[in-house]
């Protein structure tokens, strides 16, 4: 694994004998391929014999015929929620999850606990082959997400927290009392809990908006910034357009939740005078290729036409909808829009929504549920899922010029698998075995920005067992202070069974 090649230009790293899934526009596959990396940049990719003869590497990694592909790009993720994974019982309704659990979490968690939760999320993503994440704008102290990403060595695109002008808390489809925008919503919203560290007015939100864009001064930084608003009806049109203007000026993605459940979708339709939400957003000039909508589970024909016409990105989180029974895998239009040319990326959402940060799982669910919903085995295939998780994800995160494919000139975010897994044998078709059978289980080595952060299954950046012990201790302490220990068990009444 550490032997150098003989002659040629000196580089830092050479991956040899890999089954390279480049995920470039042509879908190029190199069966016995090599990837040359210098610093954080891919300098060449091609046939192993040709590439290895041109470079002398400080380190050589022999993939031994296993697949290598671009790092996966997570496009909808709440990084700090890992602290209470598994704590919500199956009988809990979603409004209670927002009002009686998440609000307590946000009003109790401290910076160190947010940092440790984001470390846990980052470690989990790296282990599962994800090398970049777009955070959804809910880490109260964004610096904790940045610090965690840098500690583990994962690429992150973060934003300011809770940019909204509805200050009464997790009030889906409600605004703060601008009568022309939503008469009566303010009174309803006041019944919801308040988040003490979130903006309490439009003015506060606008002042905070864009604070993380300072990270973009270094174009090669591992942690960069984008603009996010929470969405789900918690932003007025005034705030939404201010966010769009800010993102446009900075050349970054504007990220928000949209049309997650039937309830928030209808609430948006009501506040827009009966017009479908994305139709209205197109009318006011909000839809654009630099807008990424998290979820977008409930779209009409007219909205789908606007997505295709104006080109916003969708971050499909199939498990999150399935976990709460919202019907996104049944009624969602993501697969159809993908086939029509829209950019559809993938997201894991959060603990207690998808419960794990494994984009292979999301991609697999996306492909298989689309086939089931459309009664068509070929509606989506493995290559579609892999592209959603890589190049489409890079575009949705605003990083398509830097990551998402293995091509010369792009940053070296690379995942190398192992064939030493039952699921990868026999070596009949690497793509199908990888996508339908092994998924993240065969992830062996992960490279981010040219640095090996997971080396044959071992982290190089953190002491994994020590870190997991510290995170577990901190998480249980937090849950205790929240009054949520012991965790409520499932109490679902079922008819008596004989077996």
């Amino acid at each position: 694994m550490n032997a150098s090649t003989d002659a040629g230009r000196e580089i830092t790293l050479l991956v040899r004998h890999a089954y390279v899934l480049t995920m470039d526009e042509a879908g190029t596959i190199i069966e016995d391929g090599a990837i040359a990396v210098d610093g954080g940049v891919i300098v060449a990719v091609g046939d192993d014999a040709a590439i290895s003869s041109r470079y002398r590497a400080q380190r050589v990694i022999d993939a031994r015929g296993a697949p290598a592909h671009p790092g996966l790009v997570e496009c909808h993720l709440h990084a700090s929620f890992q602290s209470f994974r598994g704590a919500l019982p199956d009988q809990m309704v979603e409004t209670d999850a927002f009002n009686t659990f998440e609000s307590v979490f946000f009003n109790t968690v401290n910076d160190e606990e947010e940092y440790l939760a984001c470390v846990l999320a980052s470690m989990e993503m790296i282990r599962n082959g994800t090398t970049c994440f777009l955070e959804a704008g809910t880490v109260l102290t964004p610096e904790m997400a940045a610090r965690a990403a840098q500690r583990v060595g994962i690429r992150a695109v973060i934003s300011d927290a809770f940019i909204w002008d509805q200050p009464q808390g997790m009030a889906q489809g409600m605004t703060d009392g601008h009568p022309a925008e939503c008469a009566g919503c303010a009174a309803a919203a006041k019944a919801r809990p308040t988040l003490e560290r979130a903006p309490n007015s439009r003015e506060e939100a606008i002042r905070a908006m864009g604070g993380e864009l300072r990270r973009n001064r270094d174009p090669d930084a591992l942690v960069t910034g984008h603009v996010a608003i929470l969405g789900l009806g918690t932003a007025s049109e005034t705030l939404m357009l201010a966010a769009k203007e800010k993102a446009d000026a900075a050349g970054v993605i504007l990220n928000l939740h949209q049309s997650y459940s039937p309830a928030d979708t209808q609430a948006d339709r009501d506040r827009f005078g009966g017009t479908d939400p994305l139709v209205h957003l197109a009318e006011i000039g909000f839809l654009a290729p630099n807008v990424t909508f998290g979820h977008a589970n409930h779209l009409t024909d007219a909205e789908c036409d606007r997505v295709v016409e104006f080109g916003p990105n969708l971050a499909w989180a199939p498990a999150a909808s399935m976990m709460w029974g919202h019907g996104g895998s049944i009624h969602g239009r993501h697969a159809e829009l993908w086939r029509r040319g829209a950019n559809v990326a993938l997201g894991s959402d959060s603990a207690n929504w998808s419960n794990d940060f494994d984009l292979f799982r999301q991609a697999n669910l996306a492909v298989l549920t689309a086939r089931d919903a459309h009664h068509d085995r070929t509606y989506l295939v493995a290559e579609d899922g892999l592209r959603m998780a890589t190049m489409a994800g890079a575009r949705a995160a605003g990083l398509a010029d830097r990551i998402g494919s293995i091509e010369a000139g792009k940053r070296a975010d690379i995942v190398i698998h192992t064939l030493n897994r039952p699921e990868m044998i026999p070596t009949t078709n690497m793509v199908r075995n990888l996508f339908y059978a092994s998924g993240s289980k065969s992830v062996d080595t992960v490279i981010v920005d040219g640095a090996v952060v997971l080396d044959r299954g071992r982290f190089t950046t953190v002491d994994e067992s020590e870190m997991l012990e510290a995170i577990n201790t901190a998480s249980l302490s937090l849950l205790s202070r929240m009054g949520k220990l012991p965790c409520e068990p499932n109490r679902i009444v079922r008819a008596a069974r004989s077996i």
Side-chain angles (χ1 to χ4, degrees):
M1 292 286 285
N2 293 297
S4 295
T5 55
D6 294 332
R9 171 183 164 186
E10 184 171 353
I11 58 173
T12 54
L13 179 65
L14 182 64
V15 178
R16 296 196 60 186
H17 300 301
Y19 189 92
V20 181
L21 307 173
T22 67
M23 304 311 299
D24 63 8
E25 289 299 326
T28 304
I29 294 175
I30 308 166
E31 293 190 4
D32 184 23
I35 308 164
V37 176
D38 197 26
V41 179
I42 298 169
V43 295
V45 57
D47 180 75
D48 182 82
I51 297 297
S52 62
S53 67
R54 290 164 48 192
Y55 296 98
R56 183 176 70 258
Q58 295 172 16
R59 179 176 180 188
V60 175
I61 297 176
D62 187 347
R64 300 176 183 175
H69 57 75
L72 309 186
V73 184
E74 165 67 63
C75 287
H76 185 72
L77 176 133
H78 299 269
S80 64
F81 288 14
Q82 297 299 78
S83 294
F84 57 94
R85 173 162 47 197
L88 274 58
D90 285 352
Q91 69 269 14
M92 178 175 278
V93 297
E94 200 162 26
T95 51
D96 285 346
F98 292 136
N99 294 339
T100 69
F101 208 106
E102 284 191 2
S103 63
V104 178
F105 165 77
F106 283 118
N107 287 336
T108 307
V109 68
N110 61 40
D111 283 356
E112 183 65 12
E113 289 161 344
E114 276 201 314
Y115 163 72
L116 290 172
C118 292
V119 168
L120 180 61
S122 299
M123 291 171 65
E124 184 174 352
M125 283 186 279
I126 289 291
R127 274 216 167 276
N128 289 330
T130 293
T131 57
C132 176
F133 68 92
L134 179 70
E135 211 283 324
T138 54
V139 178
L140 290 169
T141 304
E143 178 59 30
M144 297 303 102
R147 180 181 150 206
Q150 289 161 342
R151 174 69 185 276
V152 176
I154 193 170
R155 194 178 300 278
V157 189
I158 64 175
S159 71
D160 311 289
F162 289 100
I163 301 302
W164 56 10
D165 53 359
Q166 182 291 104
Q168 287 83 17
M170 296 284 192
Q172 295 182 45
M174 300 176 183
T175 59
D176 68 347
H178 301 279
E181 295 171 11
C182 186
C185 283
K190 290 184 190 301
R192 303 293 185 101
T194 297
L195 303 192
E196 296 166 1
R197 294 166 61 189
N200 283 312
S201 69
R202 178 180 299 165
E203 293 69 30
E204 279 189 46
I206 289 176
R207 281 197 302 271
M209 181 192 298
E212 296 305 310
L213 298 178
R214 61 187 170 81
R215 300 182 184 278
N216 300 344
R217 294 168 191 158
D218 177 2
D220 296 330
L222 195 63
V223 179
T224 54
H226 73 288
V227 176
I229 54 179
L230 187 71
L232 297 175
T234 62
S236 64
E237 284 187 29
T238 301
L239 185 64
M240 293 178 78
L241 291 174
K244 180 67 166 58
E245 182 179 359
K246 177 79 72 173
D248 288 348
V252 299
I253 286 293
L254 169 56
N255 178 24
L256 69 156
H257 296 75
Q258 181 64 48
S259 302
Y260 162 62
S261 71
D264 71 84
T265 305
Q266 186 58 46
D268 263 354
R269 185 174 288 112
D270 292 344
R271 73 172 178 142
F272 295 147
T275 302
D276 292 337
L278 296 196
V279 172
H280 180 77
L281 295 181
E283 291 172 351
I284 66 173
F286 189 82
L287 293 194
N290 70 328
V291 173
T292 295
F293 291 118
H295 299 293
N297 289 321
H298 302 280
L299 303 182
T300 64
D301 289 348
E303 289 177 298
C304 289
D305 290 342
R306 300 308 189 279
V307 169
V308 173
E309 179 181 0
F310 291 96
N313 310 286
L314 307 184
W316 186 6
S321 175
M322 297 170 82
M323 182 67 74
W324 292 87
H326 286 310
S329 63
I330 302 169
H331 307 296
R333 311 291 290 274
H334 309 86
E336 169 196 337
L337 285 165
W338 175 259
R339 285 166 56 107
R340 292 177 63 184
N343 193 56
V344 179
L346 296 167
S348 302
D349 204 350
S350 69
N352 302 293
W353 268 253
S354 285
N355 286 60
D356 69 351
F357 290 166
D358 183 350
L359 275 191
F360 273 107
R361 178 188 180 214
Q362 301 300 331
N364 201 275
L365 286 172
V367 168
L368 297 184
T369 58
R371 293 180 179 191
D372 213 30
H374 293 274
H375 306 280
D376 183 352
R377 174 173 162 81
T378 66
Y379 203 82
L380 292 181
V381 296
E383 289 83 353
D384 292 310
L386 289 172
R387 185 163 291 278
M388 288 179 184
T390 54
M391 198 61 222
R395 185 170 291 116
L399 299 175
D401 60 334
R402 280 173 269 179
I403 61 172
S405 61
I406 297 178
E407 298 181 81
K410 288 201 170 183
R411 307 303 296 184
D413 292 6
I414 302 164
V415 176
I416 305 169
H417 291 255
T418 177
L419 295 181
N420 192 27
R421 288 286 313 188
E423 298 86 353
M424 291 299 289
I425 301 300
T427 55
T428 47
N429 182 279
M430 290 293 185
V431 173
R432 291 194 291 270
N433 283 357
L434 174 64
F435 189 80
Y436 298 121
S438 74
S440 60
K441 289 184 282 189
S442 58
V443 170
D444 181 75
T445 297
V446 177
I447 301 162
V448 182
D449 212 41
V452 178
V453 296
L454 188 73
D455 194 349
R456 287 192 166 181
R458 295 180 63 86
F459 279 97
T460 66
T461 52
V462 294
D463 182 320
E464 185 173 21
S465 59
E466 182 179 288
M467 183 62 76
L468 292 178
E469 183 177 356
I471 293 167
N472 190 51
T473 298
S475 296
L476 294 178
S477 173
L478 170 61
L479 285 165
S480 179
R481 299 200 316 278
M482 290 169 58
K484 302 298 184 182
L485 283 184
C487 293
E488 184 179 350
N490 285 349
R491 294 191 178 92
I492 310 296
V493 178
R494 294 282 188 262
R497 298 176 61 93
S498 59
I499 55 172

